[in-house]
Structures are given as C-alpha cells and as structure tokens.
Amino acid sequence: MIDFLNEIFTAVATKLREQHPEVIVTGEYTRMPSKFPAVTLDEITNVTVDELEDSSVAEKYSALTYRLQIFSNKQSGKKAEARAIFATADSTMRGLGFRRITYTTTPEIYESTIYSITATYEAIVDANGVTYRR
C-alpha cells in the first residue's frame, strides 16, 4: 500500500494550527467532537489504480480519498468560523494536489447548536508521493 497519510495529515493540521490556534485537529472520523472548533481528516479509501499498474509486484499508484469535517458551536458566528477554517484546510488540500469532490453543510445533523461542513477530496498518488488529479 502506498501510504502518505501522516504527511498529508501533518501538512493540513500544521496549517490549521498556524492560522486557527484554537482548533482541535484529529485524524479520525467522529460523529461528535468533544471540543470545538474541531476538524477531522481521515483517509476513507486507498486503492490500487489497476489501469496504471504493470506486470511488477510493486504498487505504483493509489487512488486516495480523504474526508474533512469541520465543527463549530459558537453562540454567534459558527457558520463564519467553520467556513474560515474550511478555507484554510481546502487550500492546503488543493495545494497538495487533491481535488474537492464533495462539499456539504450539515447545520442541524447533530443538534441545532452545531454547524458542520463535510468535504471529500481525491487524488492519485505514486510511490514517490507525487499527486495527480483525476
């Protein structure tokens, strides 16, 4: 398996912590964070790209999909806070060569006091860590 999870997570978490020092960033999916504002970034698929493989045993390319979640529970301005955090994470993921494939807001999925944004990103990565957008 081609695995760059730690490098991708570290790049996003570092940028988020620089620009939003109050944010909690984790690498695991959660339905409800224990602290706010919170961001989760997890790898949801990492599969071989069959059409790019050759006859060798070594995996050369993997198709990666990442899920990004942002949660805010501010009394006033939770939507603005979540969108600002999203903008930072989104530009970082795009800078790493990922393409955003979904974006949804779920302001009342958990309870009306929490605003949430969920986005997914995809890219093909080679064994050297070079990303290619589909």
Side-chain angles (χ1 to χ4, degrees), residues 27-107:
E28 297 178 5
Y29 171 80
T30 184
R31 289 186 50 102
M32 180 68 71
S34 58
K35 295 182 181 178
F36 297 90
V39 173
T40 67
L41 179 65
D42 64 315
E43 186 177 83
I44 56 177
T45 62
N46 182 330
V47 296
T48 302
V49 182
D50 291 335
E51 58 270 15
L52 298 176
E53 294 299 309
D54 58 23
S55 60
S56 73
V57 177
E59 185 174 13
K60 299 212 178 356
Y61 299 92
S62 283
L64 306 179
T65 306
Y66 280 78
R67 173 180 37 218
L68 174 73
Q69 298 175 281
I70 293 124
F71 302 90
S72 176
N73 71 342
K74 285 181 88 170
Q75 285 280 65
S76 176
K78 60 183 161 235
K79 182 177 180 180
E81 178 181 58
R83 290 179 64 86
I85 294 168
F86 171 78
T88 300
D90 183 66
S91 67
T92 306
M93 288 296 288
R94 292 172 53 78
L96 293 171
F98 283 80
R99 180 175 72 95
R100 182 174 6 100
I101 57 172
T102 66
Y103 172 94
T104 58
T105 60
T106 50

